[in-house]
Every structure is written in C-alpha cells, then in structure tokens.
Amino acid sequence: MNSVVAPAEPIDTASGSRLAWVIQALRSITRVELAVFALIGLTVAAMNAAWGMEWLQKSGDLHMLIGGTLMPLLIGPFIMAGWLLADRAEGRSALARPTRLALGLGLSVTLAVIIVPLLLVAAGIDMKPSIKIEDRVLPLPHWVRLVSAWVEVSIYTGLTFAVLEFRRRREASRQVLEIARTEQAQLSRRLLESRLAAMQAQVEPQFLFDSLVDVQATYDRDVRAGADAMDRLITYLRVALPRLREQGSTVQAEAELLAAYLGVVAARHGGQPAVHFAVAPDAASARFYPMLLLPLVQRAIRLAQAQGEVPSRVELIAKRHGAELGLLLRIEAGGQCSDDAELIRVRERLAGLYAERASLACSEPQPALSEFALRVPL
C-alpha cells in the first residue's frame, strides 16, 4: 500500500543563531530522506565490497575491502547534511534553489572526500589505491586519488539529490492539485447553494394561482375564513421570498418554511394535512441547506392530489446524533418511495452538497405512511 509522507516542517528562520538553525535543520530530516540516503549508501557500499573482494583475491589487501565498504557509509552523513542545509534554506537564503543545491552538493562532497580518508587512516585502515602498468603496480598520486574520489562521490550524491528533488516537486505538485480541487469543490458547493436559495425563493406559479383562487372563493363563503387563508398565504410568501438573500439555512428556518407552506395547503383543503414538528433545541440552529425538505413535501402534496386527496398528517422530527443531524419526515400518504425525477433531484443535491457523507432513505412501514430518513454531517 502506498503511503504519502508529509513534507518536512519549515525551519524557523527566527532562531537565535546560525548554529541553532543548522541544528534545527539537521533534526528536521524525514524518514523518507533518511531511507533514500541509506538505500543509496548501502548500494554503493555493496558495489565497493564486491570490487574489494576481487582486489583481495588479487593482492591480498584487506584494507581496500574494508575501506571501500565503509567509505560510502561514512560519507553519507556529510551528503545528508549538505542536502538538508540547502533544502531547508528555502526562504532564508537569497540564492536560487538550484544554486543552493549545487553549492550544498559541492561543499559536502569536498568535505567528505577530505575528512573520511583521514578517519579511516586514524582507524588503522590505510587505503593506497594503485594502478597496474605491465607488471608493475604503481601507487596513485594523492591528487589523483582525491579527484577520483570526488568524481565518484559526486555521481551518487547527485543521484541522491535528484531523487529527493523529484520527490519534493511531486509532493508540491500534489499539494497544489489538492488545493485546486478543494477550491473547485468549494466553488461548486457555493454555486449549488446559490441555485438552491434561488429555487427556494421562487413560489410555484400554479400553487400561487390556485391559492389565490381558493382565497377568493373562501372570502365569498366566509370573510373571516378568507382573511385567515390570506394571512397564511402572506406568511408563506414572507418566509419564502427573503431566502434569496440568505446564505444557507438552518433546521429551524426550514421547519418554519414547511409549516408556512403546509398552512396554506391546509387552508385550501379543510385543515389537512395536520402538522406536527418536533425539532430538538440542539438541532434547531444547526446549519442545513435549503431545497431538501420542501421538495419532498411539495412532491407528496402533488402525488396525493393526483389521487384526489391530500396527506392527512405531516410530521418532522429533527435530532442530533453525535456528529450527524438526523431528520425523519413522516407523511401519511402511500406511494412516496418510488424514484421519480423530483426524488432523484433531491438525491443529487445531497450528493453535490455532502458527497457521500449524507444519505436519504425512504420506507413505507404501513400502506398509507411514507417515511423519509435524512442524515447529514454537522
């Protein structure tokens, strides 16, 4: 399984001294960086050991075997320090990054090829590279040994730097891509919120026309009842229309909108449906997007009216369940769970707003009762 290693933490450039900054840079090495240095160092040590075994068989010189095996391991800390100081100077040094890396590579390699042989000699391992010309074995001059070692160490040091730099750039590209994706998702969600608010602020023309006709007819029969029906319609319009200027919504606001809508419906249909809302105090102010509950109720009214009736009762229960908000919408009308264009659109809104973190389930526990269970994250 692939694992993503977080990039090293930036160095505090406000440290009291350069020495403190150097120590902090050395302590900031990550496991991936350490693994790369160790892998390349062990690989070079194994290659040198194979070459040293061949030399041992020819000359019997054990020092070349031991020294060739230990040298890459001893050089490793120097190379690692050069990388860390060059990489962690981001934002601290005025030099461009390629320049810093080149200077770090050159300085660390130079110090390593000078100091490590002295350490080996101090440990009693005196490596004296030589060259065989015809039948004579001649020791190499000191400067030739230094240049040869510098070139050899520079090659695998450059390879190490290249691997780490490639990983760093890939990680930076991944982070930029993640930021872009996050911003795109936020913009898409805001656009969807705006569209939902605009949709909720729109009053269905047919509903408004039918309500006005009913209000007029009610006035003709009973002035007081007509006034009551008109008050309910005005209340609904006052609740629905200002939503276009609001950002988001709450459970309490959506419950009030449903109550106002159902109040108009009840005034047109002899007091039906009866309404019962139970919103827990800790859920009332929870953020909740518009156009998730109202379309379900409007759909239920339309489906029931197609059969010549309206639901006898609509009940809403809203509670918090840990980090989730649970809403149960009970509608005393059957046949509400069949997927149609309206129900599919509600599910699409949920997916656009919450991705896979929200769910909408519909069940019919009784022939004339439909239940919508909605769960959304807080």
Side-chain angles (χ1 to χ4, degrees):
M1 180 171 60
N2 295 331
S3 60
V4 177
V5 181
E9 296 182 358
I11 301 303
D12 182 9
T13 56
S15 300
S17 65
R18 292 184 178 180
L19 179 60
W21 177 81
V22 170
I23 295 174
Q24 190 177 0
L26 296 177
R27 292 176 60 183
S28 69
I29 185 171
T30 65
R31 289 176 293 179
V32 173
E33 290 172 328
L34 189 61
V36 171
F37 282 109
L39 177 62
I40 295 181
L42 291 173
T43 301
V44 176
M47 294 171 60
N48 286 354
W51 174 81
M53 290 295 296
E54 183 180 354
W55 181 265
L56 179 63
Q57 293 175 359
K58 292 180 179 179
S59 64
D61 188 357
L62 186 60
H63 286 188
M64 292 297 294
L65 173 61
I66 299 175
T69 304
L70 291 179
M71 183 171 288
L73 303 180
L74 296 175
I75 288 175
F78 289 89
I79 308 305
M80 185 167 55
W83 161 262
L84 290 174
L85 296 179
D87 178 67
R88 304 308 195 260
E90 195 77 36
R92 182 183 179 94
S93 173
L95 296 176
R97 183 174 180 83
T99 303
R100 293 200 313 271
L101 292 176
L103 290 176
L105 185 148
L107 181 61
S108 60
V109 170
T110 301
L111 291 176
V113 298
I114 293 175
I115 297 175
V116 171
L118 297 178
L119 295 176
L120 292 176
V121 171
I125 303 173
D126 189 8
M127 299 175 60
K128 295 180 179 180
S130 58
I131 184 173
K132 185 175 181 180
I133 301 178
E134 296 180 352
D135 294 333
R136 292 186 302 170
V137 177
L138 302 177
L140 292 175
H142 182 66
W143 69 270
V144 174
R145 283 183 282 169
L146 283 178
V147 172
S148 175
W150 195 93
V151 172
E152 178 185 354
V153 175
S154 295
I155 291 174
Y156 76 79
T157 301
L159 176 62
T160 306
F161 277 31
V163 170
L164 291 174
E165 182 67 9
F166 172 77
R167 176 186 173 275
R168 178 186 177 277
R169 294 188 180 186
R170 186 185 65 176
E171 181 66 21
S173 299
R174 186 191 66 81
Q175 291 179 355
V176 170
L177 181 60
E178 286 296 323
I179 292 174
R181 286 176 176 173
T182 301
E183 292 178 351
Q184 183 181 12
Q186 291 175 349
L187 290 174
S188 298
R189 188 176 296 109
R190 289 173 185 171
L191 178 59
L192 181 56
E193 288 181 37
S194 300
R195 289 177 176 174
L196 294 181
M199 291 171 62
Q200 185 151 300
Q202 295 173 357
V203 177
E204 296 181 60
Q206 187 63 41
F207 172 76
L208 181 59
F209 177 77
D210 292 342
S211 298
L212 290 174
V213 170
D214 286 346
V215 167
Q216 183 178 5
T218 305
Y219 261 114
D220 292 340
R221 296 193 309 267
D222 187 340
V223 174
R224 181 175 296 179
D228 180 64
M230 178 60 76
D231 288 340
R232 295 191 184 194
L233 180 58
I234 292 174
T235 299
Y236 171 65
L237 294 176
R238 284 177 174 174
V239 173
L241 292 179
R243 298 304 174 89
L244 185 59
R245 300 189 298 270
E246 296 178 358
Q247 294 294 325
S249 185
T250 63
V251 174
Q252 184 63 39
E254 293 304 293
E256 291 174 357
L257 180 65
L258 285 183
Y261 174 80
L262 291 172
V264 177
V265 175
R268 294 173 52 200
H269 296 87
Q272 286 191 334
V275 177
H276 175 72
F277 290 172
V279 179
D282 58 350
S285 60
R287 179 177 173 82
F288 190 73
Y289 291 105
M291 293 306 288
L292 294 177
L293 293 177
L294 181 60
L296 296 176
V297 175
Q298 291 175 329
R299 172 177 174 270
I301 299 297
R302 281 193 291 269
L303 291 177
Q305 285 179 333
Q307 300 175 2
E309 56 185 14
V310 294
S312 58
R313 181 180 176 86
V314 175
E315 182 178 357
L316 175 66
I317 301 174
K319 297 180 179 179
R320 293 186 62 155
H321 302 278
E324 285 187 331
L325 178 65
L327 298 100
L328 181 63
L329 181 63
R330 289 197 180 108
I331 302 174
E332 291 192 3
Q336 300 290 319
C337 293
S338 299
D339 277 344
D340 55 17
E342 291 181 274
L343 190 54
I344 291 174
R345 280 196 293 269
V346 174
R347 296 188 190 278
E348 289 175 348
R349 290 166 193 155
L350 272 177
L353 293 168
Y354 298 103
E356 298 179 354
R357 298 176 299 158
S359 64
L360 174 63
C362 184
S363 62
E364 296 188 28
Q366 299 176 14
L369 177 63
S370 300
E371 293 184 347
F372 292 92
L374 178 62
R375 283 185 172 270
V376 298
L378 290 172

